[in-house]
């Protein structure tokens, strides 16, 4: 179980591939998930390389937790959601697909199930519009 520098989130952090950025501080980065399981589905990652919760340094994990709470509050406000689901997967058997630690943050609405993980990409204009709503809610905090 080693960290691979060419994973997709490492490339996003290095600016080698684009993302809809929501928030950044010294230790963390937040952006939209391109195959959302609900409108406003976003991700928080540490800047320091970590494969998942099993190898991350505790200070880096704490920074990710702080940013996750910030984003959870922001998506609740941005979408007038009834709740928020936070998910985090470790290793293939645990459901992990991208091997740079990340927390999923998904706004939830009474009676609305999560969409299946189909692998279909969301339209860029919808991701951009949802990202704008979340950034505005973050500024309002
Ligand atoms: P996990 O590893 O926790 O199972 O999920 C990885 C998540 O990363 C999925 O929700 C997937 O939609 C998302 N994802 C995969 N590739 C990309 C990408 O290139 N950009 C973004 N923004 N998200 C991605």
């Amino acid at each position: 179980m080693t960290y691979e520098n060419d994973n997709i989130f490492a490339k996003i952090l290095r600016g080698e591939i684009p993302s809809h950025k929501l928030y950044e501080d010294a230790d963390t980065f937040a952006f939209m998930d391109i195959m959302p399981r609900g409108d406003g589905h976003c991700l928080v990652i540490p800047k320091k390389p970590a494969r998942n919760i099993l190898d991350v340094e505790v200070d880096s994990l704490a920074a990710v937790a702080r940013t996750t709470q910030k984003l959870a509050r922001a998506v609740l406000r941005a979408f007038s959601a009834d709740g928020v689901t936070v998910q985090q997967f470790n290793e293939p058997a645990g459901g992990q697909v991208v091997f740079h630690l990340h927390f999923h943050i998904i706004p939830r609405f009474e009676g609305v199930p999560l969409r299946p993980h189909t692998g279909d990409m969301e339209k860029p204009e919808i991701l951009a519009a949802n990202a704008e709503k979340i950034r505005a809610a973050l500024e309002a905090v």
Side-chain angles (χ1 to χ4, degrees):
M1 288 193 276
T2 53
Y3 183 81
E4 308 280 351
N5 274 313
D6 60 355
N7 73 76
I8 202 90
F9 294 168
K11 290 180 181 175
I12 285 175
L13 275 176
R14 291 196 295 267
E16 292 168 8
I17 64 165
S19 68
H20 294 273
K21 175 177 158 181
L22 301 170
Y23 174 85
E24 179 175 17
D25 61 24
D27 302 307
T28 65
F29 188 83
F31 56 105
M32 300 304 290
D33 193 302
I34 49 166
M35 294 173 262
R37 300 196 60 199
D39 291 340
H41 181 171
C42 55
L43 302 166
V44 175
I45 63 176
K47 288 187 172 176
K48 205 177 237 187
R51 183 174 163 94
N52 54 42
I53 205 161
L54 301 169
D55 66 333
V56 65
E57 288 177 16
V58 72
D59 288 351
S60 193
L61 180 61
V64 169
R66 266 195 300 275
T67 301
T68 298
Q69 185 185 49
K70 206 182 279 285
L71 266 292
R73 288 172 171 165
V75 298
L76 195 84
R77 191 176 307 111
F79 297 93
S80 300
D82 301 313
V84 182
T85 293
V86 174
Q87 291 180 318
Q88 193 278 316
F89 305 111
N90 302 282
E91 297 303 323
Q96 186 175 12
V97 174
V98 177
F99 297 97
H100 180 113
L101 174 67
H102 52 280
F103 279 69
H104 298 258
I105 300 157
I106 311 171
R108 301 299 303 275
F109 303 88
E110 290 296 347
V112 179
L114 285 180
R115 293 201 284 266
H117 197 42
T118 54
D120 288 339
M121 294 217 202
E122 183 58 276
K123 293 188 188 78
E125 60 270 25
I126 291 181
L127 289 178
N130 286 342
E132 190 50 48
K133 281 187 196 171
I134 298 171
R135 284 193 296 266
L138 278 167
E139 276 173 21
V141 174

